[in-house]
Structures are given as C-alpha cells and as structure tokens.
Amino acid sequence: MAISLRLSRGGAKKRPYYRIVAADSRYPRDGRYLEQIGTYNPLLAKDDEKRVQLNEDRAKYWLGVGAQPSDRVARFLDAAGIQERKARNNPNKAEPGEKAKERAEEKAAKEAEAAEALKAAEEAPAEEEAKAEEAPAEEAAAEEAPTEEAPTEDAKEDAGEEKAEG
C-alpha cells in the first residue's frame, strides 16, 4: 500500500481549509484517509502560527514507514524542520544553449570591434588637427621663400609688344 502525506480540502466555496492527512494514494483527494496529522488554513496571514498546524511526531512516524509527501506538504515539513525538501527546479535549465552562447560571444566580439573603431575614430581627428597645425607652418615658410617663376604667355606677349614699339 503506497501512503502519501497530502492535503484534503474542506471548507466552503472560495473559503478553503485543508487537513494534512496520511492516506492511501489510491483514495480520492477528499475521501477516506488513514490519519489526520495537521491542518492548513491559507486564509490566515503567512506569519500567523495557526496557518499551519502539524503533529510532528506523527509526521515523522509516517515518513519513517515510507509515506511520500506532496509538494505542498513537503514545504510544510521543511519549514517545521522535519524533512529537508529537495530543490525541484533545475538551475542549469535556465542557461542558454550552445548556439545561443556562440551568438552572444560573436555579438560581444562585434561590440568590442565597434568600440575600438570608435576609439580610433576619436583619436584620428586629434592627429589630423596636429598635422593641420604643422602644415600651415610649412606653407607659410614656402610662401616667404623667394620663388622664381617662369614668365607666363601673357607676360611674354606684353614684352614682345614693347620691343616692337621701341
């Protein structure tokens, strides 16, 4: 006979009240049970000591003979310090898969490259400004130096007319 520690509902409509019972797992939820070992009133405040009342000795007995608690009763037993409840959620289930991890790495690499390019773009104008400041100094030096330019065609024609007149 498989025995379970579970809740059996009582109370009126929308006014639940539960008995914590040891029952054969084949019996209906609100049907026959072997023994009532406590009560649970969800309408009371969470810090109220009458919200969950549990006969610890009888709960330990039924666990000792192999009774399996339901999820909610296991929470009550854990809170009472009778039986430690195993974690039901798999923390690794929330981790992304391999391909999602690869995509995240690629995205991070692209963002790093973009940040480097932006940093280089910010440094480039500073270098150009430094070069621009040096360039006018070179041009000014070139303008100050005397340059001998060859006479243009207009100048040659003017000189030729002067010789013809003279």
Side-chain angles (χ1 to χ4, degrees):
M1 176 163 76
I3 298 173
S4 63
L5 298 178
R6 63 184 185 201
L7 298 176
S8 175
R9 192 179 195 279
K13 181 178 180 182
K14 298 193 179 190
R15 306 282 296 170
Y17 183 83
Y18 297 94
R19 294 184 187 109
I20 302 171
V21 298
D24 186 336
S25 62
R26 296 172 291 189
Y27 293 166
R29 178 191 73 173
D30 300 334
R32 195 169 108 194
Y33 54 86
L34 302 172
E35 181 182 2
Q36 178 178 336
I37 61 172
T39 59
Y40 168 55
N41 187 352
L43 298 177
L44 296 177
K46 289 188 178 183
D47 58 348
D48 191 345
E49 59 189 47
K50 292 184 179 180
R51 182 178 170 106
V52 177
Q53 294 180 334
L54 191 63
N55 185 342
E56 295 180 11
D57 293 336
R58 294 309 293 168
K60 288 178 185 176
Y61 167 77
W62 284 111
L63 291 170
V65 295
Q68 295 296 315
S70 67
D71 291 342
R72 179 60 61 177
V73 174
R75 285 179 184 237
F76 298 152
L77 296 173
D78 185 35
I82 297 171
Q83 182 184 25
E84 189 172 328
R85 182 171 65 105
K86 297 177 184 174
R88 303 249 333 183
N89 291 341
N90 182 359
N92 296 331
K93 192 172 185 178
E95 288 185 16
E98 292 178 18
K99 291 194 176 190
K101 287 180 184 177
E102 290 174 8
R103 287 192 298 265
E105 289 174 4
E106 291 174 7
K107 185 177 180 181
K110 286 181 181 178
E111 289 176 358
E113 290 175 10
E116 290 176 12
L118 181 62
K119 187 175 181 181
E122 290 175 355
E123 291 176 0
E127 292 175 4
E128 290 177 7
E129 290 175 8
K131 289 180 183 176
E133 290 175 3
E134 293 173 5
E138 292 174 2
E139 290 176 6
E143 290 177 4
E144 291 174 6
T147 57
E148 295 181 18
E149 294 183 12
T152 60
E153 292 180 12
D154 292 335
K156 289 181 184 176
E157 289 178 7
D158 291 338
E161 289 178 9
E162 290 177 9
K163 289 183 183 176
E165 293 176 7

